[in-house]
Amino acid sequence: MGDEDYNTSLTYDDEYSDDFDPIMVLDESSPLEGKVARIFLVVVYSIVCFLGILGNGLVIVIATFKMKKTVNAVWFLNLAVADFLFNIFLPIHIAYAAMDYHWVFGTAMCKISNFLLIHNMYTSVFLLTAISFDRCISVLLPVWSQNHRSVRLASVACALIWVLAFFLSSPSLIFRDTALVHEKISCFNNFSLSASGSAPWPAHSRLDPVGFSRHMVVTVTRFLCGFLVPVLIITACYFTIVCKLRRNRLAKTRKPFKVIVTIITTFFLCWCPYHMLYLLELHHAAMPGSVFSLGLPLATAIAIANSCMNPILYVFMGQDFKKFKVALFSRLVNALSEDTVHSSYPSHRSFTKMSSMNDRETSML
């Protein structure tokens, strides 16, 4: 999380320390600056928590009980569950920031809370990648997709995504730790796996090549698997889709994809600063300390805000949003309902009936 993730690998000399103390950073900053930063985080996290629990909870209820189970419903349900699980633990981090970064929830919760943030990132980006690939296959192989694209296959893909996300997020369960520093308990990354319980900064991890190697592997893996590789795959999928649709001169070239493209764009805009700063943190000696003391909390707050964005986008992206008589519930149902690219292909007359049924379910995707 933003506030406790200050404690990563920063130190202001050329020696490696894997545990950046948020309290020391705040001491280096002006008291007013530190107080303003904490108030900002508390306000942002509180808003995200409220909107995330309400919005994602509503999406879960709608996708589970109020609509036909379709492939799209499976994708969006899993996105909402990942965000919801993270949001329900967000009050812990609100309390952490409000108490001036004094962690009173124990080492186990320190590990779990950070694990949920990273797991949410991986689950979301893998689901967005799967959705993009699903769209691409629907355009390139419409007949095959119509015959083989099923709720069961989507559910299996989601299960694999959750398992893979768990595996990639597991370093948080190993390296997150707590220690007493300046009469406050801090939740931090202990890549050196040194004994906690007393002030560890910075003696125990200086000149520790093993700790630095672990830190680098975790950070680079998160960047590659949680950002760069997915964005390349997603970009390739939508580039292929656009080329195929233009080549066939289809009337609805953008409409079927505007919601998911917006969701994907929002995800990467939210997480890009987070990944960039944590990569720069590996070479923190070349950067001013203020870049991290101010940048990391802000970047993490932006990343966390992504967990409440999707339900808002479902509502605001609907073409019927301006029709104020349409209820919020109806807008969400429309956004989550199944769409099909096949209905855009005049040559596939055998799918006209099924496509028209799906079109009646949604006018958003």
PDB file of all heavy atoms in Angstrom, residues 134-166:
ATOM      1  N   ASP A 134      -9.885 -12.568 -25.881  1.00  0.00           N
ATOM      2  CA  ASP A 134     -11.220 -13.069 -26.217  1.00  0.00           C
ATOM      3  C   ASP A 134     -11.848 -12.247 -27.340  1.00  0.00           C
ATOM      4  O   ASP A 134     -12.414 -12.784 -28.295  1.00  0.00           O
ATOM      5  CB  ASP A 134     -12.091 -13.031 -24.961  1.00  0.00           C
ATOM      6  CG  ASP A 134     -13.528 -13.444 -25.228  1.00  0.00           C
ATOM      7  OD1 ASP A 134     -13.750 -14.421 -25.967  1.00  0.00           O
ATOM      8  OD2 ASP A 134     -14.430 -12.781 -24.694  1.00  0.00           O
ATOM      9  N   ARG A 135     -11.729 -10.919 -27.231  1.00  0.00           N
ATOM     10  CA  ARG A 135     -12.253 -10.042 -28.279  1.00  0.00           C
ATOM     11  C   ARG A 135     -11.546 -10.286 -29.609  1.00  0.00           C
ATOM     12  O   ARG A 135     -12.163 -10.304 -30.665  1.00  0.00           O
ATOM     13  CB  ARG A 135     -12.060  -8.569 -27.872  1.00  0.00           C
ATOM     14  CG  ARG A 135     -12.834  -8.140 -26.653  1.00  0.00           C
ATOM     15  CD  ARG A 135     -14.338  -8.085 -26.976  1.00  0.00           C
ATOM     16  NE  ARG A 135     -15.068  -7.461 -25.882  1.00  0.00           N
ATOM     17  CZ  ARG A 135     -15.520  -8.099 -24.826  1.00  0.00           C
ATOM     18  NH1 ARG A 135     -15.304  -9.391 -24.699  1.00  0.00           N
ATOM     19  NH2 ARG A 135     -16.193  -7.455 -23.890  1.00  0.00           N
ATOM     20  N   CYS A 136     -10.241 -10.449 -29.534  1.00  0.00           N
ATOM     21  CA  CYS A 136      -9.450 -10.645 -30.753  1.00  0.00           C
ATOM     22  C   CYS A 136      -9.850 -11.930 -31.463  1.00  0.00           C
ATOM     23  O   CYS A 136     -10.024 -11.954 -32.686  1.00  0.00           O
ATOM     24  CB  CYS A 136      -7.962 -10.672 -30.395  1.00  0.00           C
ATOM     25  SG  CYS A 136      -6.856 -10.673 -31.814  1.00  0.00           S
ATOM     26  N   ILE A 137     -10.010 -12.999 -30.696  1.00  0.00           N
ATOM     27  CA  ILE A 137     -10.417 -14.279 -31.292  1.00  0.00           C
ATOM     28  C   ILE A 137     -11.812 -14.169 -31.887  1.00  0.00           C
ATOM     29  O   ILE A 137     -12.101 -14.730 -32.956  1.00  0.00           O
ATOM     30  CB  ILE A 137     -10.374 -15.400 -30.231  1.00  0.00           C
ATOM     31  CG1 ILE A 137      -8.932 -15.655 -29.785  1.00  0.00           C
ATOM     32  CG2 ILE A 137     -10.996 -16.682 -30.770  1.00  0.00           C
ATOM     33  CD1 ILE A 137      -8.017 -16.126 -30.897  1.00  0.00           C
ATOM     34  N   SER A 138     -12.693 -13.420 -31.225  1.00  0.00           N
ATOM     35  CA  SER A 138     -14.057 -13.257 -31.733  1.00  0.00           C
ATOM     36  C   SER A 138     -14.074 -12.566 -33.091  1.00  0.00           C
ATOM     37  O   SER A 138     -14.943 -12.842 -33.923  1.00  0.00           O
ATOM     38  CB  SER A 138     -14.899 -12.439 -30.735  1.00  0.00           C
ATOM     39  OG  SER A 138     -15.038 -13.128 -29.523  1.00  0.00           O
ATOM     40  N   VAL A 139     -13.119 -11.659 -33.311  1.00  0.00           N
ATOM     41  CA  VAL A 139     -13.056 -10.941 -34.575  1.00  0.00           C
ATOM     42  C   VAL A 139     -12.356 -11.761 -35.658  1.00  0.00           C
ATOM     43  O   VAL A 139     -12.818 -11.838 -36.798  1.00  0.00           O
ATOM     44  CB  VAL A 139     -12.330  -9.587 -34.395  1.00  0.00           C
ATOM     45  CG1 VAL A 139     -12.042  -8.928 -35.734  1.00  0.00           C
ATOM     46  CG2 VAL A 139     -13.173  -8.657 -33.529  1.00  0.00           C
ATOM     47  N   LEU A 140     -11.251 -12.394 -35.276  1.00  0.00           N
ATOM     48  CA  LEU A 140     -10.469 -13.135 -36.263  1.00  0.00           C
ATOM     49  C   LEU A 140     -11.120 -14.461 -36.649  1.00  0.00           C
ATOM     50  O   LEU A 140     -11.077 -14.862 -37.818  1.00  0.00           O
ATOM     51  CB  LEU A 140      -9.055 -13.401 -35.727  1.00  0.00           C
ATOM     52  CG  LEU A 140      -8.159 -12.178 -35.512  1.00  0.00           C
ATOM     53  CD1 LEU A 140      -6.802 -12.616 -34.967  1.00  0.00           C
ATOM     54  CD2 LEU A 140      -7.990 -11.400 -36.807  1.00  0.00           C
ATOM     55  N   LEU A 141     -11.702 -15.127 -35.649  1.00  0.00           N
ATOM     56  CA  LEU A 141     -12.292 -16.453 -35.885  1.00  0.00           C
ATOM     57  C   LEU A 141     -13.730 -16.471 -35.373  1.00  0.00           C
ATOM     58  O   LEU A 141     -14.055 -17.150 -34.396  1.00  0.00           O
ATOM     59  CB  LEU A 141     -11.464 -17.533 -35.177  1.00  0.00           C
ATOM     60  CG  LEU A 141      -9.982 -17.615 -35.544  1.00  0.00           C
ATOM     61  CD1 LEU A 141      -9.248 -18.562 -34.617  1.00  0.00           C
ATOM     62  CD2 LEU A 141      -9.823 -18.058 -37.002  1.00  0.00           C
ATOM     63  N   PRO A 142     -14.619 -15.762 -36.038  1.00  0.00           N
ATOM     64  CA  PRO A 142     -15.986 -15.647 -35.519  1.00  0.00           C
ATOM     65  C   PRO A 142     -16.739 -16.975 -35.456  1.00  0.00           C
ATOM     66  O   PRO A 142     -17.486 -17.217 -34.511  1.00  0.00           O
ATOM     67  CB  PRO A 142     -16.656 -14.669 -36.493  1.00  0.00           C
ATOM     68  CG  PRO A 142     -15.821 -14.716 -37.725  1.00  0.00           C
ATOM     69  CD  PRO A 142     -14.422 -14.986 -37.274  1.00  0.00           C
ATOM     70  N   VAL A 143     -16.539 -17.823 -36.447  1.00  0.00           N
ATOM     71  CA  VAL A 143     -17.245 -19.111 -36.459  1.00  0.00           C
ATOM     72  C   VAL A 143     -16.736 -20.006 -35.335  1.00  0.00           C
ATOM     73  O   VAL A 143     -17.516 -20.591 -34.570  1.00  0.00           O
ATOM     74  CB  VAL A 143     -17.091 -19.806 -37.818  1.00  0.00           C
ATOM     75  CG1 VAL A 143     -17.760 -21.181 -37.795  1.00  0.00           C
ATOM     76  CG2 VAL A 143     -17.683 -18.948 -38.934  1.00  0.00           C
ATOM     77  N   TRP A 144     -15.417 -20.112 -35.220  1.00  0.00           N
ATOM     78  CA  TRP A 144     -14.834 -20.918 -34.149  1.00  0.00           C
ATOM     79  C   TRP A 144     -15.252 -20.379 -32.798  1.00  0.00           C
ATOM     80  O   TRP A 144     -15.605 -21.138 -31.883  1.00  0.00           O
ATOM     81  CB  TRP A 144     -13.316 -20.916 -34.265  1.00  0.00           C
ATOM     82  CG  TRP A 144     -12.631 -21.797 -33.257  1.00  0.00           C
ATOM     83  CD1 TRP A 144     -12.252 -23.096 -33.421  1.00  0.00           C
ATOM     84  CD2 TRP A 144     -12.274 -21.440 -31.907  1.00  0.00           C
ATOM     85  NE1 TRP A 144     -11.683 -23.567 -32.267  1.00  0.00           N
ATOM     86  CE2 TRP A 144     -11.685 -22.578 -31.318  1.00  0.00           C
ATOM     87  CE3 TRP A 144     -12.404 -20.277 -31.154  1.00  0.00           C
ATOM     88  CZ2 TRP A 144     -11.217 -22.576 -30.005  1.00  0.00           C
ATOM     89  CZ3 TRP A 144     -11.950 -20.264 -29.841  1.00  0.00           C
ATOM     90  CH2 TRP A 144     -11.358 -21.413 -29.282  1.00  0.00           C
ATOM     91  N   SER A 145     -15.211 -19.075 -32.639  1.00  0.00           N
ATOM     92  CA  SER A 145     -15.569 -18.459 -31.371  1.00  0.00           C
ATOM     93  C   SER A 145     -17.020 -18.719 -31.004  1.00  0.00           C
ATOM     94  O   SER A 145     -17.350 -18.993 -29.847  1.00  0.00           O
ATOM     95  CB  SER A 145     -15.306 -16.950 -31.439  1.00  0.00           C
ATOM     96  OG  SER A 145     -15.648 -16.326 -30.236  1.00  0.00           O
ATOM     97  N   GLN A 146     -17.908 -18.652 -32.004  1.00  0.00           N
ATOM     98  CA  GLN A 146     -19.321 -18.884 -31.740  1.00  0.00           C
ATOM     99  C   GLN A 146     -19.574 -20.306 -31.255  1.00  0.00           C
ATOM    100  O   GLN A 146     -20.445 -20.550 -30.417  1.00  0.00           O
ATOM    101  CB  GLN A 146     -20.129 -18.634 -33.013  1.00  0.00           C
ATOM    102  CG  GLN A 146     -21.627 -18.629 -32.803  1.00  0.00           C
ATOM    103  CD  GLN A 146     -22.074 -17.435 -31.970  1.00  0.00           C
ATOM    104  OE1 GLN A 146     -21.663 -16.305 -32.228  1.00  0.00           O
ATOM    105  NE2 GLN A 146     -22.912 -17.682 -30.988  1.00  0.00           N
ATOM    106  N   ASN A 147     -18.757 -21.239 -31.730  1.00  0.00           N
ATOM    107  CA  ASN A 147     -18.957 -22.642 -31.385  1.00  0.00           C
ATOM    108  C   ASN A 147     -18.241 -23.053 -30.094  1.00  0.00           C
ATOM    109  O   ASN A 147     -18.647 -24.028 -29.458  1.00  0.00           O
ATOM    110  CB  ASN A 147     -18.478 -23.539 -32.531  1.00  0.00           C
ATOM    111  CG  ASN A 147     -19.336 -23.382 -33.773  1.00  0.00           C
ATOM    112  OD1 ASN A 147     -20.534 -23.103 -33.684  1.00  0.00           O
ATOM    113  ND2 ASN A 147     -18.734 -23.533 -34.950  1.00  0.00           N
ATOM    114  N   HIS A 148     -17.169 -22.350 -29.748  1.00  0.00           N
ATOM    115  CA  HIS A 148     -16.349 -22.802 -28.625  1.00  0.00           C
ATOM    116  C   HIS A 148     -16.287 -21.816 -27.459  1.00  0.00           C
ATOM    117  O   HIS A 148     -15.885 -22.203 -26.364  1.00  0.00           O
ATOM    118  CB  HIS A 148     -14.913 -23.088 -29.101  1.00  0.00           C
ATOM    119  CG  HIS A 148     -14.817 -24.205 -30.089  1.00  0.00           C
ATOM    120  ND1 HIS A 148     -14.958 -24.011 -31.454  1.00  0.00           N
ATOM    121  CD2 HIS A 148     -14.615 -25.538 -29.914  1.00  0.00           C
ATOM    122  CE1 HIS A 148     -14.825 -25.171 -32.080  1.00  0.00           C
ATOM    123  NE2 HIS A 148     -14.624 -26.106 -31.177  1.00  0.00           N
ATOM    124  N   ARG A 149     -16.637 -20.582 -27.685  1.00  0.00           N
ATOM    125  CA  ARG A 149     -16.591 -19.574 -26.619  1.00  0.00           C
ATOM    126  C   ARG A 149     -17.726 -19.854 -25.637  1.00  0.00           C
ATOM    127  O   ARG A 149     -18.892 -19.730 -25.979  1.00  0.00           O
ATOM    128  CB  ARG A 149     -16.734 -18.186 -27.231  1.00  0.00           C
ATOM    129  CG  ARG A 149     -16.579 -17.021 -26.282  1.00  0.00           C
ATOM    130  CD  ARG A 149     -16.593 -15.724 -27.090  1.00  0.00           C
ATOM    131  NE  ARG A 149     -16.424 -14.534 -26.262  1.00  0.00           N
ATOM    132  CZ  ARG A 149     -17.418 -13.760 -25.849  1.00  0.00           C
ATOM    133  NH1 ARG A 149     -18.676 -14.071 -26.202  1.00  0.00           N
ATOM    134  NH2 ARG A 149     -17.179 -12.701 -25.109  1.00  0.00           N
ATOM    135  N   SER A 150     -17.385 -20.209 -24.416  1.00  0.00           N
ATOM    136  CA  SER A 150     -18.404 -20.639 -23.463  1.00  0.00           C
ATOM    137  C   SER A 150     -18.112 -20.093 -22.075  1.00  0.00           C
ATOM    138  O   SER A 150     -16.991 -19.683 -21.755  1.00  0.00           O
ATOM    139  CB  SER A 150     -18.456 -22.172 -23.401  1.00  0.00           C
ATOM    140  OG  SER A 150     -17.234 -22.695 -22.891  1.00  0.00           O
ATOM    141  N   VAL A 151     -19.144 -20.108 -21.246  1.00  0.00           N
ATOM    142  CA  VAL A 151     -19.006 -19.675 -19.859  1.00  0.00           C
ATOM    143  C   VAL A 151     -18.042 -20.585 -19.112  1.00  0.00           C
ATOM    144  O   VAL A 151     -17.238 -20.126 -18.291  1.00  0.00           O
ATOM    145  CB  VAL A 151     -20.385 -19.665 -19.175  1.00  0.00           C
ATOM    146  CG1 VAL A 151     -20.243 -19.451 -17.672  1.00  0.00           C
ATOM    147  CG2 VAL A 151     -21.272 -18.594 -19.782  1.00  0.00           C
ATOM    148  N   ARG A 152     -18.101 -21.878 -19.396  1.00  0.00           N
ATOM    149  CA  ARG A 152     -17.220 -22.834 -18.719  1.00  0.00           C
ATOM    150  C   ARG A 152     -15.763 -22.535 -19.033  1.00  0.00           C
ATOM    151  O   ARG A 152     -14.902 -22.549 -18.135  1.00  0.00           O
ATOM    152  CB  ARG A 152     -17.571 -24.262 -19.148  1.00  0.00           C
ATOM    153  CG  ARG A 152     -16.716 -25.327 -18.464  1.00  0.00           C
ATOM    154  CD  ARG A 152     -17.154 -26.738 -18.879  1.00  0.00           C
ATOM    155  NE  ARG A 152     -16.340 -27.748 -18.234  1.00  0.00           N
ATOM    156  CZ  ARG A 152     -15.163 -28.158 -18.686  1.00  0.00           C
ATOM    157  NH1 ARG A 152     -14.673 -27.624 -19.804  1.00  0.00           N
ATOM    158  NH2 ARG A 152     -14.480 -29.086 -18.046  1.00  0.00           N
ATOM    159  N   LEU A 153     -15.456 -22.268 -20.306  1.00  0.00           N
ATOM    160  CA  LEU A 153     -14.080 -21.962 -20.688  1.00  0.00           C
ATOM    161  C   LEU A 153     -13.599 -20.674 -20.028  1.00  0.00           C
ATOM    162  O   LEU A 153     -12.459 -20.593 -19.545  1.00  0.00           O
ATOM    163  CB  LEU A 153     -13.983 -21.833 -22.218  1.00  0.00           C
ATOM    164  CG  LEU A 153     -12.579 -21.650 -22.793  1.00  0.00           C
ATOM    165  CD1 LEU A 153     -11.701 -22.840 -22.446  1.00  0.00           C
ATOM    166  CD2 LEU A 153     -12.641 -21.474 -24.311  1.00  0.00           C
ATOM    167  N   ALA A 154     -14.461 -19.672 -19.973  1.00  0.00           N
ATOM    168  CA  ALA A 154     -14.103 -18.418 -19.314  1.00  0.00           C
ATOM    169  C   ALA A 154     -13.877 -18.632 -17.815  1.00  0.00           C
ATOM    170  O   ALA A 154     -12.963 -18.042 -17.229  1.00  0.00           O
ATOM    171  CB  ALA A 154     -15.194 -17.378 -19.542  1.00  0.00           C
ATOM    172  N   SER A 155     -14.686 -19.476 -17.206  1.00  0.00           N
ATOM    173  CA  SER A 155     -14.536 -19.748 -15.768  1.00  0.00           C
ATOM    174  C   SER A 155     -13.220 -20.460 -15.471  1.00  0.00           C
ATOM    175  O   SER A 155     -12.545 -20.153 -14.478  1.00  0.00           O
ATOM    176  CB  SER A 155     -15.704 -20.602 -15.270  1.00  0.00           C
ATOM    177  OG  SER A 155     -16.941 -19.923 -15.465  1.00  0.00           O
ATOM    178  N   VAL A 156     -12.850 -21.399 -16.343  1.00  0.00           N
ATOM    179  CA  VAL A 156     -11.569 -22.094 -16.178  1.00  0.00           C
ATOM    180  C   VAL A 156     -10.412 -21.109 -16.328  1.00  0.00           C
ATOM    181  O   VAL A 156      -9.450 -21.140 -15.547  1.00  0.00           O
ATOM    182  CB  VAL A 156     -11.435 -23.236 -17.206  1.00  0.00           C
ATOM    183  CG1 VAL A 156     -10.017 -23.815 -17.204  1.00  0.00           C
ATOM    184  CG2 VAL A 156     -12.447 -24.342 -16.910  1.00  0.00           C
ATOM    185  N   ALA A 157     -10.509 -20.228 -17.310  1.00  0.00           N
ATOM    186  CA  ALA A 157      -9.464 -19.211 -17.514  1.00  0.00           C
ATOM    187  C   ALA A 157      -9.343 -18.313 -16.283  1.00  0.00           C
ATOM    188  O   ALA A 157      -8.230 -17.992 -15.848  1.00  0.00           O
ATOM    189  CB  ALA A 157      -9.785 -18.380 -18.753  1.00  0.00           C
ATOM    190  N   CYS A 158     -10.468 -17.937 -15.701  1.00  0.00           N
ATOM    191  CA  CYS A 158     -10.443 -17.092 -14.501  1.00  0.00           C
ATOM    192  C   CYS A 158      -9.802 -17.821 -13.323  1.00  0.00           C
ATOM    193  O   CYS A 158      -9.033 -17.214 -12.554  1.00  0.00           O
ATOM    194  CB  CYS A 158     -11.853 -16.645 -14.142  1.00  0.00           C
ATOM    195  SG  CYS A 158     -12.550 -15.425 -15.275  1.00  0.00           S
ATOM    196  N   ALA A 159     -10.102 -19.104 -13.173  1.00  0.00           N
ATOM    197  CA  ALA A 159      -9.503 -19.879 -12.081  1.00  0.00           C
ATOM    198  C   ALA A 159      -7.985 -19.936 -12.229  1.00  0.00           C
ATOM    199  O   ALA A 159      -7.240 -19.773 -11.246  1.00  0.00           O
ATOM    200  CB  ALA A 159     -10.092 -21.290 -12.067  1.00  0.00           C
ATOM    201  N   LEU A 160      -7.515 -20.143 -13.451  1.00  0.00           N
ATOM    202  CA  LEU A 160      -6.072 -20.165 -13.700  1.00  0.00           C
ATOM    203  C   LEU A 160      -5.442 -18.801 -13.413  1.00  0.00           C
ATOM    204  O   LEU A 160      -4.329 -18.716 -12.890  1.00  0.00           O
ATOM    205  CB  LEU A 160      -5.795 -20.586 -15.152  1.00  0.00           C
ATOM    206  CG  LEU A 160      -6.172 -22.025 -15.518  1.00  0.00           C
ATOM    207  CD1 LEU A 160      -5.947 -22.271 -17.007  1.00  0.00           C
ATOM    208  CD2 LEU A 160      -5.352 -23.018 -14.696  1.00  0.00           C
ATOM    209  N   ILE A 161      -6.159 -17.748 -13.763  1.00  0.00           N
ATOM    210  CA  ILE A 161      -5.659 -16.393 -13.507  1.00  0.00           C
ATOM    211  C   ILE A 161      -5.502 -16.146 -12.011  1.00  0.00           C
ATOM    212  O   ILE A 161      -4.490 -15.593 -11.557  1.00  0.00           O
ATOM    213  CB  ILE A 161      -6.608 -15.357 -14.141  1.00  0.00           C
ATOM    214  CG1 ILE A 161      -6.409 -15.331 -15.662  1.00  0.00           C
ATOM    215  CG2 ILE A 161      -6.396 -13.966 -13.539  1.00  0.00           C
ATOM    216  CD1 ILE A 161      -7.430 -14.506 -16.403  1.00  0.00           C
ATOM    217  N   TRP A 162      -6.475 -16.562 -11.226  1.00  0.00           N
ATOM    218  CA  TRP A 162      -6.398 -16.370  -9.771  1.00  0.00           C
ATOM    219  C   TRP A 162      -5.226 -17.153  -9.175  1.00  0.00           C
ATOM    220  O   TRP A 162      -4.525 -16.643  -8.292  1.00  0.00           O
ATOM    221  CB  TRP A 162      -7.700 -16.785  -9.108  1.00  0.00           C
ATOM    222  CG  TRP A 162      -8.779 -15.751  -9.233  1.00  0.00           C
ATOM    223  CD1 TRP A 162      -9.594 -15.545 -10.307  1.00  0.00           C
ATOM    224  CD2 TRP A 162      -9.141 -14.756  -8.267  1.00  0.00           C
ATOM    225  NE1 TRP A 162     -10.452 -14.500 -10.073  1.00  0.00           N
ATOM    226  CE2 TRP A 162     -10.209 -13.987  -8.833  1.00  0.00           C
ATOM    227  CE3 TRP A 162      -8.692 -14.447  -6.992  1.00  0.00           C
ATOM    228  CZ2 TRP A 162     -10.801 -12.930  -8.141  1.00  0.00           C
ATOM    229  CZ3 TRP A 162      -9.290 -13.397  -6.298  1.00  0.00           C
ATOM    230  CH2 TRP A 162     -10.332 -12.653  -6.876  1.00  0.00           C
ATOM    231  N   VAL A 163      -5.005 -18.350  -9.665  1.00  0.00           N
ATOM    232  CA  VAL A 163      -3.883 -19.159  -9.159  1.00  0.00           C
ATOM    233  C   VAL A 163      -2.547 -18.516  -9.531  1.00  0.00           C
ATOM    234  O   VAL A 163      -1.630 -18.412  -8.701  1.00  0.00           O
ATOM    235  CB  VAL A 163      -3.964 -20.596  -9.713  1.00  0.00           C
ATOM    236  CG1 VAL A 163      -2.700 -21.380  -9.365  1.00  0.00           C
ATOM    237  CG2 VAL A 163      -5.192 -21.311  -9.156  1.00  0.00           C
ATOM    238  N   LEU A 164      -2.418 -18.086 -10.783  1.00  0.00           N
ATOM    239  CA  LEU A 164      -1.184 -17.452 -11.227  1.00  0.00           C
ATOM    240  C   LEU A 164      -0.933 -16.147 -10.466  1.00  0.00           C
ATOM    241  O   LEU A 164       0.206 -15.857 -10.062  1.00  0.00           O
ATOM    242  CB  LEU A 164      -1.259 -17.169 -12.734  1.00  0.00           C
ATOM    243  CG  LEU A 164      -0.030 -16.505 -13.371  1.00  0.00           C
ATOM    244  CD1 LEU A 164       1.212 -17.368 -13.175  1.00  0.00           C
ATOM    245  CD2 LEU A 164      -0.274 -16.249 -14.859  1.00  0.00           C
ATOM    246  N   ALA A 165      -1.987 -15.366 -10.252  1.00  0.00           N
ATOM    247  CA  ALA A 165      -1.851 -14.117  -9.494  1.00  0.00           C
ATOM    248  C   ALA A 165      -1.416 -14.398  -8.054  1.00  0.00           C
ATOM    249  O   ALA A 165      -0.602 -13.658  -7.487  1.00  0.00           O
ATOM    250  CB  ALA A 165      -3.171 -13.347  -9.517  1.00  0.00           C
ATOM    251  N   PHE A 166      -1.946 -15.454  -7.473  1.00  0.00           N
ATOM    252  CA  PHE A 166      -1.547 -15.836  -6.112  1.00  0.00           C
ATOM    253  C   PHE A 166      -0.057 -16.162  -6.063  1.00  0.00           C
ATOM    254  O   PHE A 166       0.667 -15.702  -5.164  1.00  0.00           O
ATOM    255  CB  PHE A 166      -2.353 -17.043  -5.633  1.00  0.00           C
ATOM    256  CG  PHE A 166      -2.009 -17.492  -4.237  1.00  0.00           C
ATOM    257  CD1 PHE A 166      -2.697 -16.991  -3.145  1.00  0.00           C
ATOM    258  CD2 PHE A 166      -0.992 -18.410  -4.018  1.00  0.00           C
ATOM    259  CE1 PHE A 166      -2.374 -17.385  -1.853  1.00  0.00           C
ATOM    260  CE2 PHE A 166      -0.660 -18.810  -2.728  1.00  0.00           C
ATOM    261  CZ  PHE A 166      -1.353 -18.297  -1.647  1.00  0.00           C
TER     262      PHE A 166
END
